Amino acid sequence: MTAEQLRSRLEFYRDLGIEYIYNRIGQTLAESAPEPVPEPVKVAPVTVLPTLEPAGDSLDQIRLDIGECRRCRLAEARHSIVFGSGNEKARIVFVGEGPGADEDEQGLPFVGRAGQLLTQMIDNTAAKEGIPIRRADVYICNVVKCRPPENRTPLPDEMQTCGQFLYRQLLAIRPKAICALGATAMKALLDTKEGITRQRGRWHKWRDIPVMVTYHPSYLLRQYNQQARREAWEDLKTLFHYVYD
Ligand code: URA
């Protein structure tokens, strides 16, 4: 293979989103190629933007398109696909990470302990701030729709595969704001390498929709951390006043 052919092969890999080509390929080629083999190139990651914005999209259509999904390994152990629930015309969409055991069993998001805390956070903050909403008025869904085994964090390819449906849900609802619950939702929506503690409590954007990042309720349950709880309540206050004032 000539250097030119190798370059074009590497460009092809780059277009597929492959970031690194390791030396073993170079060595094999070097043995057979008379020409010097260029250093393997490190190419910039390719950002795969969701292309999906079908005209007249709706939550029903998105659920139909998901079908009895087997697009990734999470299908193997799941019991239900947890699509999302709440008001289809919600002004706020809360995005979590992925279903846990209770959600997998019931087919609904945030119905276990973390869900109960989320319900309290929404209902109590709204009541305290004089904002006439309850959990049923918002929409709640997750980055991945199937429970990861042992509640592990979803892997990047699982997030990417399922993320297309999350993006369509957000575009179909077009809320006035999104609340990203925890680091997985934050990573699915924002191009950031910073941690949640730096990003929470501030406004970001997904496309043209404002995004408030806050702690995941499971984190607030695990860490009995009064400070984190206070901060999460503050984040919800900021979110509710922005949307409803
Ligand atoms: N944690 C999540 O991220 N989502 C759920 O639906 C439940 C727990």
Side-chain angles (χ1 to χ4, degrees), residues 35-142:
E35 298 181 41
V37 176
E39 280 290 292
V41 275
K42 179 184 179 308
V43 292
V46 175
T47 307
V48 181
L49 288 172
T51 52
L52 303 135
E53 236 177 304
D57 209 7
S58 67
L59 293 179
D60 285 347
Q61 185 57 53
I62 300 162
R63 182 63 191 89
L64 273 177
D65 291 347
I66 291 176
E68 276 308 305
C69 185
R70 307 215 68 83
R71 293 171 180 85
C72 84
R73 65 185 81 74
L74 295 184
E76 286 160 25
R78 69 140 192 264
H79 176 255
S80 354
I81 293 175
V82 180
F83 180 66
S85 72
N87 179 359
E88 306 199 356
K89 295 196 162 62
R91 286 201 251 171
I92 303 177
V93 175
F94 285 83
V95 180
E97 176 174 299
D102 295 311
E103 291 76 17
D104 181 52
E105 201 177 300
Q106 297 185 42
L108 291 167
F110 282 99
V111 289
R113 280 185 69 224
Q116 286 159 22
L117 178 57
L118 180 63
T119 306
Q120 276 176 26
M121 288 167 72
I122 295 170
D123 292 357
N124 297 351
T125 308
K128 239 181 171 167
E129 297 301 305
I131 294 166
I133 59 151
R134 296 182 66 78
R135 171 176 166 150
D137 298 305
V138 304
Y139 191 83
I140 302 180
C141 60
N142 286 301

Side-chain angles (χ1 to χ4, degrees), residues 171-210:
L171 291 169
I173 297 172
R174 280 220 153 268
K176 186 161 175 196
I178 298 167
C179 184
L181 298 166
T184 299
M186 177 182 80
K187 285 183 199 150
L189 297 173
L190 309 177
D191 185 18
T192 179
K193 290 206 165 20
E194 291 208 55
I196 190 111
T197 43
R198 290 179 73 91
Q199 301 290 29
R200 61 144 284 276
R202 296 202 278 120
W203 287 109
H204 307 265
K205 276 216 164 149
W206 177 77
R207 300 205 174 198
D208 58 344
I209 305 177

